[in-house]
Structures are given as C-alpha cells and as structure tokens.
Amino acid sequence: MNVPKIVAMKSKEKISMITAYDYTSARIADEAGVDIILVGDSLGMVMQGKNSTIPVTIDDMIYHTKMVKQGVKNALIVVDMPFMSYQADYVEAVKNAGRIVKETGCDAVKLEGGREFAVTINAIISAGIPVMGHLGLTPQSINIFGSYKARGKDKQEAKKILEDAKYITEAGVFSIVLESVSKNLAKDITKAVSVPTIGIGAGVNTDGQVLVFHDMLGLFDDFKPKFVKRYAHLKKEAIEAVKLYTKEVKEGAFPTDEHSYD
Ligand code: KIV
C-alpha cells in the first residue's frame, strides 16, 4: 500500500483504517487486510489509561510505531503527531514529523486542525512527508471545546469545517479524517474535496472508515461513543479465560502432563 494508491481509491473502493499500537495488534490488522493502520494518539487512553490525548509525547508515538512497524507487511502506516509537536511553529513541526518518519519507518503523519495549519501541512509535505488531516471533533482541543460532543451541528461551525477541508486539501493532505460530524456534512465534504475522507462517527458517505482497535474488539469499555460498533467482546472473553486459569491453578488442575516436561 502507498499514498497514491489510497488517493486513487476515492469513489472507487472504500478505505478501511484501524488503529494499532503494538506488534500483535498490527499483525492482526495487517493480516485481516486493512488498508491503513493508524498509530493514533488515542493510545494515551487505551494503552496508557490517561483521560485525554494531551499528555502523549513524540517519544510515546515513536516507541509504539516501532512495534507496529514490525508487524506490518502491507498496510500504510500513518502516525499521529501528538499535542504540541506541531502547533508552536512549522519549522518545529517539520523536524518532529521528520523524526517520526526517520526513527519508525512509517509512511505518513496525521495532524488535527484546519486552515490555521495549512502552512505547517505544506511545509511537512515539502520535506517529503505525506500528511493526513483530521477535522470535526479534534481531541487535542478538548480543553477549548470542553466535551467530546459531535461538531458542526450549527450552520456556522459546519461551514467552517467544510471550508477547512478545502483549505487543507489545497495545502496538500492526501486524505482527511472526519470525526463526529453529521452524515450530511460528511457527505458535502466528501463531494467537495478531491482526496479521500475517512470517517469515524461521520456516517456512511465518506470514502472510508476508521475505528479504534480496542473499541471495535470490545477490549476497552471505560466509555463507548455512539459511533463505535463492537465486532467482538474480547474483554469479557479474556476475563472468563483468566478466571478459569486462576481456578485451575488454585485447584491444581493446571498444568497437566500435556504442559509439563518429562
Ligand atoms: O487517535 C486516534 O485513534 C484517532 C482516530 C480516532 C481517528 O485519531
């Protein structure tokens, strides 16, 4: 997989994207045939147990992406630029994006925000690094918004998100994540831009979908946004398995000869 192939999928074939944060989850996603693996800064919540993505560092992203890279043969690997790795100035942003790509071997970076980041996006792309955009609910701005509610509900905000999508497309992003926006706004944006849109809580009319690995497998249940579909209930299964193991250890039923050396 590569960036031009992803761009060429627009309006032809839906794009599937899922997060992964380590070797094992990356192998599962890659063997299942997803097009894009996102090393999302959502790892702050699902891997580190924090209550937002704000504390995640570049070193965290690099550490997790190195593990993901080991497990991927086909999928495109996109890595989130964490909070304050690109916001202060575009020179620092280029250096940080370069560090992420150089030290991990990922294919592209993703950053949150609209027209205010057009210069930054353009500078990173000029350095040879593809950029994915992220609009709508942008979790790194949680302290401005105050909640993880859907965005673009009023006409003015919806218009800004649509305009932002056009600005960052002009700046060169190869695709745009649309998080928690109405399906009609997502449809309008998908029509208005030449690059693929990838929705999470944005309805069916985007060019692709993304979900968080631990959410869709039912491994993470601290909270469940409306847009999450649970394709499995692995936490429940894991608890049952560990309970059975503990019971068997206490009763002396494990290990049997099958798991012992002569
Ligand atoms: O960090 C993340 O997992 C993301 C997805 C929700 C798109 O940005």
Side-chain angles (χ1 to χ4, degrees):
M1 189 47 78
N2 58 39
V3 164
K5 281 186 188 163
I6 294 291
V7 176
M9 286 167 83
K10 184 171 175 92
S11 318
K12 292 199 184 80
E13 181 187 341
K14 292 268 187 181
I15 297 163
S16 85
M17 175 159 119
I18 193 167
T19 65
Y21 314 108
D22 62 11
Y23 172 75
T24 302
S25 57
R27 278 210 69 171
I28 292 169
D30 199 54
E31 283 183 29
V34 297
D35 301 305
I36 305 177
I37 289 178
L38 171 69
V39 187
D41 59 356
S42 50
L43 67 83
M45 277 120 142
V46 294
M47 300 301 290
Q48 299 176 336
K50 309 249 170 75
N51 67 1
S52 80
T53 59
I54 302 280
V56 176
T57 65
I58 299 191
D59 288 341
D60 292 336
M61 297 310 299
I62 288 174
Y63 172 74
H64 284 275
T65 308
K66 280 180 176 170
M67 295 188 277
V68 165
K69 177 73 180 170
Q70 292 300 112
V72 176
K73 288 202 178 92
N74 296 308
L76 190 85
I77 304 175
V78 179
V79 180
D80 263 334
M81 295 197 66
F83 181 59
M84 286 321 292
S85 67
Y86 61 93
Q87 285 91 342
D89 76 70
Y90 74 88
V91 175
E92 203 184 15
V94 173
K95 285 184 185 160
N96 286 331
R99 214 190 129 201
I100 291 171
V101 172
K102 242 183 140 139
E103 292 183 30
T104 68
C106 73
D107 302 294
V109 296
K110 171 164 89 59
L111 60 84
E112 297 178 7
R115 66 194 72 180
E116 62 279 22
F117 291 104
V119 170
T120 301
I121 288 166
N122 195 257
I124 296 172
I125 295 165
S126 300
I129 300 167
V131 178
M132 179 181 274
H134 184 150
L135 297 172
L137 172 59
T138 47
Q140 291 177 16
S141 304
I142 180 62
N143 291 330
I144 301 276
F145 292 120
S147 83
Y148 291 105
K149 280 199 306 237
R151 299 284 182 261
K153 287 208 161 179
D154 66 81
K155 271 194 179 156
Q156 214 183 332
E157 198 186 24
K159 188 165 172 266
K160 182 181 183 306
I161 296 171
L162 176 60
E163 291 302 315
D164 278 345
K166 292 180 187 166
Y167 270 100
I168 64 171
T169 301
E170 188 69 24
V173 295
F174 73 93
S175 69
I176 303 172
V177 166
L178 297 175
E179 180 165 353
S180 298
V181 298
S182 75
K183 54 186 189 215
N184 287 335
L185 176 58
K187 189 175 179 183
D188 289 347
I189 295 172
T190 301
K191 268 198 203 153
V193 298
S194 56
V195 296
T197 56
I198 300 181
I200 177 163
V204 76
N205 296 310
T206 51
D207 298 303
Q209 298 292 328
V210 55
L211 282 177
V212 168
F213 185 91
H214 293 67
D215 284 343
M216 62 92 71
L217 290 177
L219 279 165
F220 180 84
D221 63 1
D222 290 6
F223 54 88
K224 181 187 164 303
K226 176 178 159 71
F227 56 73
V228 169
K229 177 171 175 182
R230 294 241 157 92
Y231 285 84
H233 301 276
L234 297 191
K235 180 177 173 188
K236 227 168 122 191
E237 266 194 55
I239 289 174
E240 288 312 314
V242 177
K243 265 190 191 165
L244 181 59
Y245 161 72
T246 303
K247 183 169 172 285
E248 289 191 354
V249 168
K250 300 225 179 257
E251 290 171 351
F254 174 82
T256 57
D257 280 353
E258 193 197 341
H259 303 104
S260 307
Y261 299 102
D262 287 327

